[in-house]
Amino acid sequence: MEIAAVIGAIVSAAEHPVAIAVGASALSKAGEDLYGKTKDHLRGSNTVGTAKSIQGWEEFTLEVREADGKLHFTSRHGTALHADQNGRVRMVQSPQLGDWEAFEVVDGGLRTAHNTFIQVTPGGSVKQNSVMGGKWEHITLVRLPNGKCAIQSGHGTYITARPP
């Protein structure tokens, strides 16, 4: 299933890259500069953090779980975005994607199985927060020309998956 179909936007995969505001129907053009030219300083935990531009580590395969429409994000390393019961967000090797690797689009953010939201701090930490409060929890999915997506924070940085 196309990212555009998941978000509810009507955009063909052949069109130019677009930024898709999660939970919104408005689309805005994303310039060539979103597909970063150089690797920026990475911040965050061992396996997940943020970067200022989109390179390979910021690209995710987006899968939609048929049973409930929840989203799974898989990195180029074969790891899955995972939110555990202790508030951590990390990339894990998972032979089967379960509830802790499933996310729901709610109010412009990504809600976890623990009823928390993915949160990106200005310092680059990626964790969970119990409320959908604002800029730190706002997420934009960016469709890339190669069919993958990037996860952009409200600060303009991108979630990155480091090698395991």
Side-chain angles (χ1 to χ4, degrees):
M1 179 175 280
E2 271 187 54
I3 295 170
V6 171
I7 306 304
I10 303 172
V11 178
S12 76
E15 290 181 13
H16 299 286
V18 293
I20 303 172
V22 175
S25 60
L27 301 177
S28 60
K29 294 278 181 182
E32 291 282 325
D33 60 324
L34 281 180
Y35 208 78
K37 307 298 185 222
T38 61
K39 195 67 179 163
D40 293 353
H41 174 70
L42 298 175
R43 299 174 289 181
S45 71
N46 292 344
T47 59
V48 66
T50 62
K52 293 180 182 177
S53 64
I54 301 170
Q55 300 284 321
W57 291 0
E58 294 74 40
E59 296 179 3
F60 293 88
T61 300
L62 175 63
E63 299 175 47
V64 180
R65 193 160 66 179
E66 286 187 33
D68 56 13
K70 292 189 178 176
L71 309 178
H72 294 286
F73 297 93
T74 306
S75 75
R76 71 181 310 164
H77 315 296
T79 56
L81 188 63
H82 170 95
D84 70 21
Q85 78 278 14
N86 297 319
R88 290 180 301 204
V89 176
R90 55 195 172 115
M91 302 303 297
V92 297
Q93 295 282 350
S94 182
Q96 183 174 356
L97 299 175
D99 288 342
W100 290 8
E101 294 82 36
F103 301 89
E104 183 178 12
V105 175
V106 177
D107 296 331
L110 292 176
R111 185 165 59 190
T112 72
H114 312 292
N115 207 29
T116 59
F117 289 87
I118 297 294
Q119 179 187 70
V120 180
T121 68
S125 295
V126 181
K127 55 187 179 178
Q128 299 173 59
N129 187 14
S130 60
V131 296
M132 179 59 197
K135 190 173 191 175
W136 290 17
E137 293 80 28
H138 181 80
I139 296 291
T140 301
L141 298 181
V142 179
R143 187 181 62 207
L144 304 176
N146 63 5
K148 300 203 182 288
C149 76
I151 306 168
Q152 186 179 34
S153 75
H155 309 292
T157 58
Y158 300 89
I159 291 179
T160 186
R162 298 181 185 150

